Amino acid sequence: MKFNIIDKNSFAACEAVFLTVIDNFEIINKYFNKKDCETIKTLLSDELLSNDEPKIKEIILTKNKRPIKLVLGTLPKLFEVQDLLKLGFLYGEYIKSNKMNTSSFVMIEDTLGKKNYTEFTKLLLEGTGYGLYSFNTYKSKPEFEYKNVQINIYTRIKRDNEEISSMLNEVEKIISSIYVARDLINTPANELTPEIFCQVAQKLNLDKCTITIIKDEDLKKEGLNLIYTVGAGSKNRPALLKIYYKGNSKSNNHIAIVGKGVTFDSGGTNLKPTGHIETMKTDMAGAATALGIAKLLNELNKKINVSFYIPLVENTIGYSAYRPGDIIKSKSGKTVEVLNTDAEGRLILADALSVAVEEKPDTIIDLATLTGACVVALGSHCAAFFANDDELAESIMESSEYTGEDVWMLPLYKDYKKRIKSKIADLQNISTRKGEAGTIIGALFLNEFVENTPWVHLDIAGTAFIEEKHPFYGEGASGFGIRLLYDFLDNIN
């Protein structure tokens, strides 16, 4: 998706003009003559405006003997962040379904008379990016090339074009990074192994980053036995991908982001049943999100230091696969008794967290499709998060509200810590109390490896891959978390 600011005195010669209406049709009078306005108003009714949900409606006008598609988008009078994303999504779908290469987009701030404000348009365009997306990689007849759509930005209010250009550049890069993550999550496991994931990272031209990869037997040499063991059953060997982005060379402060990368999760010896195993190519969504954020920071040249730790494995059955009852020594030195090989994500994250801790970050954020219990609790529209620091938790909540990416904080309930204490090792990877607090248990296990570092754990099991159409993510891989964490990072002083 590409943007272009067009002349303020005329619409571009393009295939459609998108105009947002809030609670009346007065805005139309500013852009069309009296005859056109009457035509529009006869085709529309107040019913369109009284709806609580965003809607779009197409009207065909004739200007200089040339038909123009006018697409009116309506919002509730008291609209919220998610309403803007929903309306943008509808417009993206409209462009895609009509296979349009160009479109004009009137800044919503014109409707509201906001001269020095661009955030509403930013959210609408991010929603448009979501709506344009489709996964066509494996179709023999490629559909409309949504990534090359040009949207011409139009305003009649005098503005600082540099500010608008900066906002549009940021949106372009955000959407591009989300597309990379969505494509990776949607890619089948036979086409995305741990090795291929590393190759993708190396081909992204992260010129401001340093990339290090620890592979296979070298994992054991580094004490990363949990990562090695989980991936030992597959011929596609495990790895730890490390990406260092140093955008502020004058500071040693940095944030660590850890992303779970199980490129396929069979459940191992505790094999997943039919109905649960089919979408397990998506169990690397945390890794894809982390990589998307690295790409975004690199392209926007943000003045912040962020290190990324991405453990990559296939959790499969094989002659060398690990078993329930095995005890493994982690990077931290703590021993873990494996009671279920399908609770593998927390194992590989534990080692990656320990590597992060060694490098003394100011904050650690991990994100993972960790527990089915999270989906049971919060569904597919809201992610769970945990934090061991109140100020950090508040910052995540503020970014959630600003971006419309919903999260809900769950407690690190201390009384449950005893449920992950093993009788014969330091820890066990699941609770022996079946069917209770599975998301909290997963977080408590990870908490054992962050020591005293301020830490956030995001469980994106429900939000990373959506099987029933979401009002602005659509279907399939969502790219959830990229906008949320980018906003969080962008607001760090």
Side-chain angles (χ1 to χ4, degrees):
M1 189 165 72
K2 311 210 178 283
F3 300 112
N4 180 41
I5 302 172
I6 62 172
D7 186 85
K8 67 179 181 180
N9 295 314
S10 62
F11 287 119
C14 61
E15 298 175 67
V17 175
F18 179 74
L19 183 64
T20 307
V21 181
I22 308 298
D23 60 341
N24 60 62
F25 295 115
E26 206 173 300
I27 183 70
I28 296 169
N29 297 324
K30 297 180 181 179
Y31 293 92
F32 298 95
N33 61 36
K34 187 175 180 181
K35 182 180 177 182
D36 288 339
C37 288
E38 290 303 316
T39 301
I40 292 166
K41 289 172 183 177
T42 57
L43 293 170
L44 298 175
S45 70
D46 289 338
E47 208 175 293
L48 190 64
L49 294 173
S50 63
N51 199 291
D52 291 336
E53 287 293 319
K55 282 189 172 183
I56 64 170
K57 185 174 179 68
E58 177 194 278
I59 295 171
I60 306 296
L61 295 177
T62 301
K63 303 286 286 185
N64 300 324
K65 298 182 180 181
R66 184 176 68 85
I68 291 180
K69 291 180 181 178
L70 174 63
V71 185
L72 289 181
T74 62
L75 286 166
K77 187 172 183 177
L78 299 175
F79 63 87
E80 299 177 346
V81 166
Q82 291 194 348
D83 292 316
L84 293 165
L85 292 166
K86 290 175 184 178
L87 182 58
F89 177 82
L90 292 174
Y91 186 51
E93 283 200 315
Y94 173 85
I95 293 172
K96 185 168 61 178
S97 63
N98 285 278
K99 298 184 178 179
M100 297 189 306
N101 293 311
T102 60
S103 172
S104 278
F105 189 105
V106 179
M107 291 185 69
I108 183 177
E109 288 79 8
D110 281 23
T111 305
L112 301 170
K114 290 182 175 287
K115 293 183 180 180
N116 301 311
Y117 197 72
T118 60
E119 290 304 313
F120 291 155
T121 290
K122 179 176 182 288
L123 287 161
L124 271 167
L125 293 174
E126 286 172 344
T128 303
Y130 284 126
L132 278 171
Y133 179 81
S134 56
F135 187 61
N136 298 324
T137 303
Y138 297 97
K139 293 193 175 181
S140 56
K141 294 183 179 179
E143 296 179 2
F144 178 65
E145 186 44 74
Y146 61 92
K147 292 181 182 178
N148 294 331
V149 169
Q150 177 171 300
I151 296 179
N152 299 310
I153 306 301
Y154 176 87
T155 179
R156 279 195 170 178
I157 295 176
K158 186 177 180 180
R159 299 182 190 277
D160 181 348
N161 272 10
E162 284 189 20
E163 182 184 352
I164 297 175
S165 295
S166 176
M167 179 270 289
L168 296 176
N169 178 59
E170 185 177 48
V171 174
E172 278 186 15
K173 301 297 190 293
I174 288 171
I175 294 301
S176 173
S177 295
I178 289 172
Y179 286 172
V180 166
R182 294 179 83 168
D183 283 351
L184 285 169
I185 298 164
N186 282 323
T187 298
N190 64 314
E191 296 281 336
L192 189 68
T193 62
E195 182 178 1
I196 294 173
F197 190 103
C198 292
Q199 291 171 359
V200 170
Q202 291 171 315
K203 291 176 183 177
L204 281 180
N205 190 30
L206 303 179
D207 58 314
K208 301 173 188 70
C209 296
T210 301
I211 295 177
T212 304
I213 302 168
I214 305 172
K215 297 180 182 179
D216 202 10
E217 295 293 330
D218 288 338
L219 291 166
K220 288 198 293 185
K221 294 177 185 176
E222 297 291 332
L224 299 167
N225 297 311
L226 292 173
I227 297 174
Y228 177 84
T229 300
V230 172
S234 173
K235 69 175 183 179
N236 295 309
R237 308 308 292 166
L240 176 65
L241 170 65
K242 297 195 286 186
I243 303 172
Y244 297 95
Y245 171 76
K246 196 165 181 67
N248 184 359
S249 59
K250 296 180 180 179
S251 172
N252 290 321
N253 295 341
H254 74 287
I255 307 296
I257 294 179
V258 180
K260 173 188 170 185
V262 181
T263 59
F264 187 77
D265 181 19
S266 71
T269 306
N270 294 105
L271 187 67
K272 289 180 183 288
T274 299
H276 295 272
I277 199 171
E278 292 82 359
T279 57
M280 284 301 104
K281 66 179 184 179
T282 68
D283 209 17
M284 37 58 69
T289 304
L291 184 59
I293 296 167
K295 176 181 183 292
L296 183 55
L297 296 176
N298 187 84
E299 292 184 349
L300 290 174
N301 197 25
K302 303 306 289 188
K303 303 302 181 185
I304 189 173
N305 301 322
V306 184
S307 50
F308 299 85
Y309 306 87
I310 302 174
L312 294 158
V313 300
E314 272 191 354
N315 184 30
T316 59
I317 299 172
Y319 69 90
S320 56
Y322 70 131
R323 298 143 296 225
D326 286 358
I327 295 177
I328 308 155
K329 187 177 181 180
S330 69
K331 171 70 171 174
S332 72
K334 294 178 181 178
T335 54
V336 180
E337 181 186 11
V338 176
L339 296 184
N340 190 316
T341 60
D342 195 23
E344 83 300 328
R346 65 199 66 182
L347 298 177
I348 66 171
L349 287 172
D351 269 356
L353 287 168
S354 293
V355 175
V357 166
E358 285 184 346
E359 299 186 10
K360 298 183 175 9
D362 300 279
T363 300
I364 297 177
I365 301 170
D366 79 74
L367 59 160
T369 47
L370 201 71
T371 65
C374 182
V375 186
V376 174
L378 297 176
S380 58
H381 289 207
C382 184
F385 88 99
F386 300 80
N388 63 3
D389 180 277
D390 291 341
E391 188 176 337
L392 191 52
E394 184 62 32
S395 295
I396 293 291
M397 287 299 300
E398 287 173 1
S399 290
S400 172
E401 290 173 10
Y402 181 76
T403 61
E405 298 213 295
D406 283 335
V407 298
W408 192 266
M409 188 173 181
L410 295 178
L412 290 163
Y413 194 62
K414 290 182 180 178
D415 279 358
Y416 292 164
K417 287 182 71 174
K418 60 188 177 186
R419 298 187 180 185
I420 55 170
K421 298 299 181 183
S422 169
K423 293 179 180 179
I424 58 174
D426 296 323
L427 298 167
Q428 57 191 40
N429 73 331
I430 62 167
S431 169
T432 49
R433 188 73 177 249
K434 306 296 183 185
E436 282 192 10
T439 304
I440 296 174
I441 294 297
L444 286 170
F445 183 88
L446 297 178
N447 191 39
E448 293 286 326
F449 298 90
V450 298
E451 298 183 7
N452 296 318
T453 310
W455 162 73
V456 169
H457 162 58
L458 275 164
D459 192 333
I460 58 173
T463 55
F465 188 85
I466 299 170
E467 298 189 53
E468 183 180 6
K469 189 175 182 180
H470 186 280
F472 55 85
Y473 295 126
E475 296 174 285
S478 67
F480 179 95
I482 289 179
R483 291 174 53 251
L484 171 73
L485 293 184
Y486 170 69
D487 182 76
F488 169 81
L489 294 169
D490 199 37
N491 283 293
I492 292 174
N493 295 323

